Amino acid sequence: MTAMTTGNTSRADANRRRILDVALAELLRDPDASMDQIARAAGVVRRTVYGHFPSREALISTLVDGAVEALADADARARDGVADPAESVARSVLAIWEIADRYRLLVALAQRTVTVQGIRERLAPLRANKVELLQRGLAAGVFSSPLPAPALAYVHEQLLFAVMEAVNDGLVAADEAGRSATVTVLTAAGMPASLATALVAKVSAES
């Protein structure tokens, strides 16, 4: 690869990154932002944006991929070195919520432009981690549910989406939603509400 080719590739990569960063900010500010608006905000012509992303849906899909990567990183860091399944779930949900809260409007937008199946597929690695934790918790008697762990993981996933929508609709305060969502996830797994609330308060205080 020649120096000129390398330079062009680096410039294209920088442009793509800038477009993604600006697009995220614009879409969080205005979910109906057009490709023209995004191009103007990024300081590039419309053709440059379409050169990287053939459609608005493709751009949003790429942003969702980035959000899922951030969620996976937060989940892995939160669970690292934590043996107790209930505490691990609590730390995971609280950490995931911090990232998810940042992308709340993007997730709502993605549900309009990315298929439900597409979102489920992106979340599969996160869900697999949650299934393993739930299985351990159910086996240890920490959790109790008539649902098997894989089905319970889906319930937890939909709970978090529902809480995000509730925050977007002004039904839950954003600064309380993460802790409330985590307690709800733990109680949905069969943990007594008093124990779940105490655990979440403890984990939150240590964060």
Side-chain angles (χ1 to χ4, degrees), residues 15-180:
N15 270 344
R16 185 176 188 276
R17 184 68 260 167
R18 173 163 174 71
I19 290 166
L20 285 171
D21 289 343
V22 170
L24 178 60
E26 287 296 302
L27 288 166
L28 292 180
R29 183 183 62 79
D30 174 13
D32 294 319
S34 67
M35 295 290 263
D36 283 341
Q37 285 175 257
I38 290 166
R40 284 196 299 273
V44 299
V45 297
R46 188 168 178 264
R47 186 177 62 226
T48 300
V49 177
Y50 277 106
H52 291 284
F53 307 100
S55 66
R56 188 171 181 273
E57 289 71 24
L59 174 58
I60 291 170
S61 183
T62 302
L63 288 172
V64 171
D65 287 340
V68 171
E69 282 182 27
L71 290 173
D73 288 344
D75 172 61
R77 287 196 302 273
R79 293 183 296 101
D80 186 36
V82 181
D84 177 64
E87 182 178 344
S88 193
V89 168
R91 290 186 181 280
S92 170
V93 175
L94 285 168
I96 284 173
W97 184 264
E98 281 190 31
I99 305 298
D101 188 50
R102 191 182 314 158
Y103 292 105
R104 260 189 297 117
L105 294 177
L106 176 64
V107 169
L109 183 62
Q111 288 176 315
R112 283 191 269 157
T113 57
V114 180
T115 65
V116 171
Q117 187 59 34
I119 292 174
R120 282 182 175 173
E121 287 170 0
R122 285 169 168 81
L123 293 173
L126 270 172
R127 194 181 309 116
N129 291 333
K130 197 64 78 259
V131 169
E132 189 272 330
L133 281 177
L134 292 169
Q135 284 173 332
R136 284 203 286 121
L138 289 167
V142 175
F143 300 138
S144 174
S145 173
L147 294 174
L152 192 54
Y154 270 117
V155 170
H156 285 179
E157 194 173 286
Q158 293 306 310
L159 272 172
L160 293 179
F161 279 130
V163 175
M164 277 191 275
E165 289 180 11
V167 175
N168 286 342
D169 289 344
L171 302 175
V172 182
D175 58 353
E176 293 292 331
R179 291 186 293 276
S180 299

